[in-house]
Amino acid sequence: MMDKTELNRQRWELEQEIETLGYQTLRYSLLCPEKEHREEWQWRIEYENGKYFIYGLADRASILGHKFEFDNFSMAKTEFINRLEYMVRSNRRRIKNGELPNYSSPLWNKE
């Protein structure tokens, strides 16, 4: 079982990476319990029973696809950031193709 101090350190590390990338307007949840802070089109990273889980939520906050499972934080962090980057790219593509984005973010309008 991981202590709260280490979980908070990991959350801070993720927040720093998100800030560096300028992704603060994306919908995400960082190491919160599964039932908390859920919203549509959100990417989540959770820690439970010694494992990290990453997954996306779709409309009505239902799980999109499957959960990615990792044994260590470094690999989970990389996958989580990759998922956020994909969200930006896919919504930019949607707008370029004349489709509506999943939700509003200034990141969709930047090239």
Side-chain angles (χ1 to χ4, degrees), residues 6-109:
E6 180 60 15
L7 212 53
N8 285 334
R9 187 198 65 74
Q10 291 175 354
R11 185 178 295 117
W12 180 85
E13 191 175 320
L14 284 162
E15 287 170 349
Q16 294 304 302
E17 183 78 18
I18 289 167
E19 189 174 315
T20 298
L21 292 167
Y23 286 177
Q24 300 93 317
T25 61
L26 295 180
R27 294 180 183 174
Y28 55 85
S29 176
L30 306 176
L31 302 168
C32 294
E34 185 177 4
K35 302 293 183 209
E36 291 182 16
H37 310 294
R38 297 172 71 87
E39 53 182 335
E40 292 182 335
W41 306 112
Q42 176 187 69
W43 276 99
R44 300 182 62 84
I45 181 170
E46 298 169 0
Y47 179 81
E48 185 179 325
N49 298 325
K51 298 209 180 282
Y52 296 90
F53 296 94
I54 296 169
Y55 61 96
L57 300 177
D59 54 347
R60 296 179 299 283
S62 60
I63 292 180
L64 178 67
H66 70 282
K67 291 184 178 184
F68 299 90
E69 184 178 317
F70 298 91
D71 292 322
N72 73 62
F73 176 69
S74 179
M75 291 178 67
K77 175 185 166 188
T78 298
E79 181 64 29
F80 184 74
I81 296 300
N82 287 341
R83 294 288 146 186
L84 294 182
E85 290 172 344
Y86 175 78
M87 177 64 83
V88 173
R89 285 193 316 271
S90 68
N91 278 290
R92 284 179 180 169
R93 188 171 46 249
R94 290 173 70 89
I95 288 174
K96 189 175 182 178
N97 293 337
E99 302 170 38
L100 292 174
N102 296 118
Y103 60 92
S104 178
S105 170
L107 291 170
W108 312 157
N109 301 321

